[in-house]
Amino acid sequence: MSAINYSTEPHGIFFLIDNKSFYASVESVERGLNPLRSILVVMSEQDNTNGGLVLATSPRAKDLFGIHNVDRWRDLPHDSRLMIVPPRMNLYIKKNLAINKIFTQFTTEQDVYPYSIDESILDMTHSWNLFGKTPQAAAHQIQIAVKKQLGLYTTVGIGENPLQAKLALDLFAKNSSQLSACLTYNTFAAKVWPITRLTNIWSIGQRTAAHLQRLGINSIGELAHTNPAALQREFGIIGTQLFALAWGIDRSQLEDQLRPRKTSLENSQVLPRDYYRRSEIEVVIKEICQQVAARMRHRHLCTSCIRLSIGYSLAATTINSSGFAHEQKIELTDNSFQLEQQLLNIFSSSWNGAPVRRISVGFSQLVVKQADQLNLFLPPEQQLKQIAFNQLIDQIRGKFGKGAIMYANSLTQGGTFKQRINLVGGHNGGNTFE
Amino acid sequence: MVAIPLNNSQKSHNEARLISRRITQYFKPHIKARYQILVVNNKFDQTFNFFFELQQPPQLPHSFPLHRVTHYDLAYLEEIIKQLQSEYGFTFTFRNFTGLFWPNAQQAISVHHQLTVKKNLIHSQSLTKHKSE
């Protein structure tokens, strides 16, 4: 059936290990409950979640009530067995580090690649046979170690390359009674090609799936037997990636550090309500600008390109306009005042008065800061004062925390800085309870 | 200035105060609402975790983390619980303390759990009996 010679492709043993309903499982263990039997949801009840946003659901709650992640508060059933718990992002980060530490008992530290907060890739090529007669047996040992030390259940996808491991995890391991599954070059076609729900496959989203279906490609098998040149013409470089995906080929070398050609820093916020007034929106733009500028100064970088993206409220969204995103070249700087001013100029020139729900600020074309460049057309004292002011703010926050000092305008209506101090990744960090 | 290390009694007092402050933060008296303090023996992290559990129909039950006691010693926990119980009339539920006793009071910590275990035993015995019949 296969028409590709796999002998020249990389053959290793990779595990992709996922923590089953990670946040919900951590919260269950913290409450002395079995993660597979507890009935709880981790729900963020921040102001901008419209009453509550489900971040994680325990497996049993999923089975009983069909709750999914990112469901809203209104979607939850009124059943007193269902427990709502707030998220604690810092705790999850700590647990993730602990899990990765356990993984280093099974392979070298260099061969453990954290992929997300609850997934890690392990290159077990050189070590799996120390822990069992088969890769599955070694995977089982890892599962036992994590369960014994942290009380958490893990799901393992095994493959001859990271892609196969990821597909084995997503497509088969999660539904297997052993919580593990394996894909190889030999079994790939038989197991993956019949899949017709294309969005179930890693890296294929709704739009790509629709695009493929428009081309008459309705299964992975059909994708594998499409002319790669035609795919490339249609999708560009992604077309060749899709073709490789359909054949289970992944030539990535995980040990090679990827250096992004262009780096940028960005922060965004979904506002707790629609903002109508210019002054309110400007306060949040300034707050986000200060946040990104502080991150940039912390890395000793300067920017020469700023970006402001504004998303309108759903009610104001039309087919032609759901907001705007504009970039602007500026003189190299890390000065919050200048950056704020430039961003507000973009906002003033582009905003049509529609209610705003999402604001994003980004700085790109970053370079390492060599020195402060003074502007010949502005008084030097004023510029030096601004530089010293920014440094002082950074030092105070560095020493006493983000909330130690803030601009008074953050206390005005619309300011979100105060509410967001303890958030990690936009959700409750849980710092105060540790 | 040299900081004088706190003894266990002072430490447990401080931790009880901290938990108490956080209970106050979450406790809003409502009609028909049920409040309880859940204390968990977390054997994995070797900690005692405190939670404030609130059930106020028709809202779904909520469980808020209060504190994590890292000094993993039952006598120390007993001190904290004693102080909290003198302050609050909430039900205290102890999870994963089965078979353990308070070192000073010499009483079983989780009576409820023991009863459940006994009930289950009786139930399984009657089942076995039923099957053998």
Side-chain angles (χ1 to χ4, degrees), chain A residues 188-310:
Chain A
F188 193 87
K191 287 186 174 178
V192 180
W193 285 1
I195 291 170
T196 50
R197 192 173 284 183
L198 299 174
T199 49
N200 279 0
I201 305 287
W202 172 80
S203 84
I204 298 182
Q206 302 271 8
R207 287 168 67 96
T208 310
H211 195 161
L212 287 167
Q213 276 160 352
R214 279 201 301 277
L215 299 174
I217 300 167
N218 295 303
S219 72
I220 300 300
E222 287 174 6
L223 180 62
H225 292 93
T226 306
N227 183 347
L231 282 173
Q232 192 173 9
R233 269 198 305 278
E234 197 66 36
F235 292 90
I237 188 78
I238 298 297
T240 49
Q241 284 182 18
L242 287 170
F243 185 73
L245 173 87
W247 286 89
I249 290 171
D250 180 2
R251 294 173 184 164
S252 54
Q253 298 294 318
L254 296 181
E255 66 274 15
D256 292 346
Q257 288 282 318
L258 273 182
R259 289 191 182 279
R261 238 180 286 168
K262 285 181 186 172
T263 53
S264 63
L265 291 171
E266 183 164 328
N267 276 83
S268 65
Q269 265 186 45
V270 175
L271 300 170
R273 56 180 168 79
D274 294 345
Y275 278 34
Y276 294 88
R277 285 167 49 196
R278 173 184 293 272
S279 59
E280 286 184 332
I281 303 164
E282 287 184 346
V283 167
V284 183
I285 293 175
K286 282 182 186 174
E287 285 177 345
I288 305 177
C289 171
Q290 286 153 19
Q291 189 184 3
V292 190
R295 288 175 61 202
M296 187 171 65
R297 287 193 296 270
H298 185 74
R299 293 163 169 77
H300 307 289
L301 297 171
C302 293
T303 178
S304 59
C305 184
I306 59 171
R307 181 176 186 276
L308 177 70
S309 167
I310 298 286

Side-chain angles (χ1 to χ4, degrees), chain A residues 304-369:
Chain A
S304 59
C305 184
I306 59 171
R307 181 176 186 276
L308 177 70
S309 167
I310 298 286
Y312 292 148
S313 149
L314 200 61
T317 300
T318 61
I319 296 169
N320 297 326
S321 168
S322 60
F324 61 87
H326 291 315
E327 266 191 3
Q328 188 178 309
K329 289 246 183 193
I330 56 164
E331 282 182 28
L332 204 61
T333 184
D334 67 349
N335 184 336
S336 295
F337 294 101
Q338 287 177 23
L339 293 163
E340 269 173 34
Q341 208 47 58
Q342 302 280 4
L343 287 166
L344 293 181
N345 289 343
I346 298 178
F347 178 66
S348 304
S349 59
S350 311
W351 186 47
N352 63 7
V356 171
R357 200 55 189 257
R358 183 186 50 76
I359 299 175
S360 159
V361 169
F363 301 152
S364 56
Q365 297 185 10
L366 302 171
V367 291
V368 176
K369 184 179 174 180

Side-chain angles (χ1 to χ4, degrees), chain A residues 91-105:
Chain A
L91 175 65
Y92 311 145
I93 293 170
K94 216 163 87 180
K95 289 286 172 190
N96 173 258
L97 293 174
I99 293 165
N100 281 318
K101 203 171 167 195
I102 295 173
F103 294 158
T104 60
Q105 295 165 11

Side-chain angles (χ1 to χ4, degrees), chain A residues 30-31 82 84 95 432-433, chain B residues 22 26 45 49 61 63 95:
Chain A
E30 288 289 304
R31 284 164 179 76
L82 184 65
I84 308 289
K95 289 286 172 190
T432 47
F433 303 117
Chain B
R22 289 174 181 167
Y26 288 118
D45 289 347
N49 301 341
S63 169
R95 193 173 283 158

Side-chain angles (χ1 to χ4, degrees), chain A residues 104-123:
Chain A
T104 60
Q105 295 165 11
F106 295 88
T107 187
T108 63
E109 210 170 312
Q110 292 75 29
D111 287 329
V112 176
Y113 302 93
Y115 181 65
S116 67
I117 183 94
D118 66 342
E119 286 186 336
S120 293
I121 305 171
L122 272 62
D123 184 348

Side-chain angles (χ1 to χ4, degrees), chain A residues 147-177:
Chain A
K147 175 74 179 73
K148 207 171 159 189
Q149 291 176 47
L150 299 171
L152 299 169
Y153 289 89
T154 48
T155 316
V156 187
I158 305 165
E160 291 186 72
N161 59 38
L163 169 72
Q164 289 175 8
K166 175 67 179 161
L167 294 182
L169 174 78
D170 290 348
L171 301 172
F172 308 110
K174 288 180 179 176
N175 301 319
S176 124
S177 58

